Amino acid sequence: MPGPSRDLIEQLYGTPPDRFVAARDAAVVEARRTGDPATAREIAKLRRPTVAAWLVNLLALRRPALVAGLGELAEALRAAQRDLRGPKLRELSAQRRAVVAALVAEARTLAADTEDAPPANRLPLAEVEATLNAALADPQVAAQVRSGRLLRAASYAGFGEVPRPQLRLVTGGAGEPSGGGRPAPGAPAKRTGRTREADRAASAGKADRAASAGEADRAARAREAERAERAERAKRRRALERELARARTDQDRAEAELTGATGAERDAADTLAAIEAELAEVERRRAGAEQEVSRRKLARRAAERAASAARRHAGEIEGAWEALLAEEGTADPGADTAH
């Protein structure tokens, strides 16, 4: 018969509830694309589990051996409850609490390792614990837990079974054989039959009273065990509440430290950005100064060349002037003599 594969179902019910519908709808589209409308309809019927049911499904899908061990423990608990074996029942109850606590812790670990899972402080671990306890008490719930397709959390008011003895009233009549008793010597036969009937009725009454007393005693013991179990649960709940309060205080402190560290990081980044902007401005000014120095250097060299040329030219003029003076000084005496 067509239908979704086991791998697909396990994949869907191992998906966090917030993404379940999108994953299911994508599987429906894929089944229709491959020409399998019947499977698409079956996939579309799958319902999203609650967060608590999803955590239990994670245990069944990823830790099936641990979940399977609940069945053996449940049977041992029921046997001890039926037989009213007090020490054994207390031992198994302690074992049950340890096993359930370990499974709850494992569910929390699996959730932490799952992408897009709800944060740890929003996981309904109390509902997971209640569901596992219900699985230990109710075989039908246990079967749903093992399937890995649980839709919602389960709970159980009590724990175990209260045995009910099956009573059978032994009756007799005149037609029964009389070999079971002896008539009193000299008593009439009719009187002997009535005596046997009275003895049987008395025996039956005693059996009824004894059975009723035994049932009342067993019921009282069961109630006492249940009260002890409730007290233990209340004690553990108070311890968990204290632990939760401490965890939330630690979380608030860590969140405050994170906020402070984020602000300090942002301030440091702003300071670095300002320094980098200043460095960029200094670098820009440095480049401009270097260009100005280059221009001034070229101007100096040109001025040096001009000064050198001017000095040469002045030297040449001065030499010519001196030569002219010398020439004029030499010519004047001759001119005076001629006159």
Side-chain angles (χ1 to χ4, degrees):
M1 182 176 181
S5 66
R6 180 178 180 84
D7 290 343
L8 175 60
I9 292 177
E10 291 184 356
Q11 178 183 352
L12 288 176
Y13 282 94
T15 300
D18 288 346
R19 294 196 292 113
F20 178 88
V21 174
R24 181 196 62 193
D25 293 347
V28 170
V29 171
E30 179 64 19
R32 288 174 179 166
R33 188 186 66 79
T34 58
D36 194 351
T39 297
R41 287 192 296 271
E42 291 299 318
I43 296 174
K45 294 178 182 178
L46 299 176
R47 293 294 172 259
R48 180 178 66 178
T50 64
V51 176
W54 168 69
L55 290 170
V56 176
N57 290 337
L58 281 183
L59 289 172
L61 296 175
R62 300 184 186 178
R63 299 292 185 269
L66 296 180
V67 174
L70 287 176
E72 299 178 1
L73 179 58
E75 181 57 34
L77 281 165
R78 282 193 288 271
Q81 185 77 13
R82 283 193 299 267
D83 298 341
L84 295 176
R85 299 196 301 269
K88 185 64 174 178
L89 183 60
R90 287 191 293 272
E91 176 186 348
L92 291 174
S93 296
Q95 182 180 350
R96 176 189 62 80
R97 289 190 294 272
V99 169
V100 170
L103 286 172
V104 171
E106 185 64 22
R108 178 168 47 193
T109 301
L110 292 174
D113 294 338
T114 302
E115 185 179 1
D116 295 334
N121 60 348
R122 291 176 52 193
L123 295 177
L125 299 179
E127 295 182 31
V128 175
E129 180 181 357
T131 301
L132 295 174
N133 282 325
L136 283 167
D138 189 332
Q140 292 183 353
V141 176
Q144 294 177 13
V145 167
R146 287 193 302 270
S147 72
R149 296 179 57 177
L150 194 67
L151 295 180
R152 59 186 58 85
S155 61
Y156 191 72
F159 186 81
E161 299 175 342
V162 177
R164 299 184 180 275
Q166 298 181 356
L167 305 179
R168 182 171 60 87
L169 180 61
V170 180
T171 60
E176 289 185 7
S178 60
R182 292 183 179 275
K190 186 175 183 180
R191 175 62 179 169
T192 301
R194 290 179 179 177
T195 301
R196 287 198 300 271
E197 183 177 355
D199 291 341
R200 283 193 295 269
S203 299
K206 290 180 180 180
D208 288 346
R209 289 191 295 273
S212 297
E215 182 179 4
D217 183 56
R218 284 189 290 270
R221 293 182 184 180
R223 286 194 297 271
E224 180 63 27
E226 185 177 348
R227 282 194 296 271
E229 178 66 21
R230 283 199 300 269
E232 181 64 27
R233 283 200 301 270
K235 179 180 177 182
R236 190 167 186 274
R237 186 183 304 111
R238 289 191 295 271
L240 287 175
E241 287 174 352
R242 291 192 295 270
E243 183 179 354
L244 177 59
R246 287 193 296 268
R248 285 177 175 171
T249 300
D250 293 342
Q251 179 187 358
D252 293 341
R253 185 183 303 110
E255 294 289 350
E257 292 177 357
L258 174 60
T259 301
T262 302
E265 179 187 10
R266 185 167 53 249
D267 293 342
D270 293 342
T271 302
L272 176 61
I275 292 174
E276 288 178 345
E278 293 176 1
L279 287 175
E281 177 62 20
V282 170
E283 185 65 26
R284 185 187 64 79
R285 292 171 57 189
R286 176 177 177 274
E290 287 179 347
Q291 292 177 357
E292 184 65 21
V293 168
S294 297
R295 286 195 298 269
R296 297 298 174 85
K297 184 182 291 186
L298 292 175
R300 178 183 60 78
R301 289 176 179 175
E304 286 178 349
R305 288 193 297 271
S308 178
R311 282 194 295 269
R312 285 195 305 271
H313 182 64
E316 291 174 355
I317 296 299
E318 184 178 359
W321 179 71
E322 290 177 353
L324 180 60
L325 290 178
E327 182 180 348
E328 289 179 350
T330 302
D332 284 345
D336 292 340
T337 304
H339 286 294

